[in-house]
PDB file of all heavy atoms in Angstrom:
ATOM      1  N   CYS A  27     -18.589  -9.484  -7.324  1.00  0.00           N
ATOM      2  CA  CYS A  27     -17.700  -8.341  -7.118  1.00  0.00           C
ATOM      3  C   CYS A  27     -17.459  -7.600  -8.436  1.00  0.00           C
ATOM      4  O   CYS A  27     -17.426  -6.371  -8.463  1.00  0.00           O
ATOM      5  CB  CYS A  27     -16.386  -8.808  -6.503  1.00  0.00           C
ATOM      6  SG  CYS A  27     -15.253  -7.469  -6.095  1.00  0.00           S
ATOM      7  N   GLU A  55     -14.213   5.412 -26.733  1.00  0.00           N
ATOM      8  CA  GLU A  55     -13.963   4.219 -25.935  1.00  0.00           C
ATOM      9  C   GLU A  55     -14.840   3.070 -26.435  1.00  0.00           C
ATOM     10  O   GLU A  55     -16.005   3.264 -26.753  1.00  0.00           O
ATOM     11  CB  GLU A  55     -14.269   4.482 -24.447  1.00  0.00           C
ATOM     12  CG  GLU A  55     -13.394   5.519 -23.809  1.00  0.00           C
ATOM     13  CD  GLU A  55     -13.826   6.949 -24.086  1.00  0.00           C
ATOM     14  OE1 GLU A  55     -14.955   7.179 -24.559  1.00  0.00           O
ATOM     15  OE2 GLU A  55     -13.011   7.844 -23.856  1.00  0.00           O
ATOM     16  N   ALA A  77      -9.134 -16.063  -1.401  1.00  0.00           N
ATOM     17  CA  ALA A  77      -8.442 -15.689  -0.168  1.00  0.00           C
ATOM     18  C   ALA A  77      -9.436 -15.488   0.972  1.00  0.00           C
ATOM     19  O   ALA A  77      -9.188 -15.930   2.105  1.00  0.00           O
ATOM     20  CB  ALA A  77      -7.613 -14.427  -0.385  1.00  0.00           C
ATOM     21  N   VAL A 112      -7.557  -1.434   2.794  1.00  0.00           N
ATOM     22  CA  VAL A 112      -7.557  -0.027   3.209  1.00  0.00           C
ATOM     23  C   VAL A 112      -6.145   0.441   3.533  1.00  0.00           C
ATOM     24  O   VAL A 112      -5.702   1.490   3.065  1.00  0.00           O
ATOM     25  CB  VAL A 112      -8.504   0.193   4.415  1.00  0.00           C
ATOM     26  CG1 VAL A 112      -8.359   1.603   4.973  1.00  0.00           C
ATOM     27  CG2 VAL A 112      -9.938  -0.070   4.015  1.00  0.00           C
ATOM     28  N   SER A 136     -14.709  -1.286  -2.691  1.00  0.00           N
ATOM     29  CA  SER A 136     -14.139  -2.585  -2.304  1.00  0.00           C
ATOM     30  C   SER A 136     -14.810  -3.132  -1.051  1.00  0.00           C
ATOM     31  O   SER A 136     -14.934  -4.350  -0.897  1.00  0.00           O
ATOM     32  CB  SER A 136     -12.621  -2.491  -2.135  1.00  0.00           C
ATOM     33  OG  SER A 136     -12.282  -1.613  -1.091  1.00  0.00           O
ATOM     34  N   ALA A 142     -20.261  -8.495  -0.075  1.00  0.00           N
ATOM     35  CA  ALA A 142     -20.995  -9.396  -0.962  1.00  0.00           C
ATOM     36  C   ALA A 142     -20.292 -10.745  -1.085  1.00  0.00           C
ATOM     37  O   ALA A 142     -20.936 -11.798  -1.008  1.00  0.00           O
ATOM     38  CB  ALA A 142     -21.168  -8.753  -2.340  1.00  0.00           C
TER      39      ALA A 142
END
Side-chain angles (χ1 to χ4, degrees):
C27 184
E55 297 81 14
V112 172
S136 63

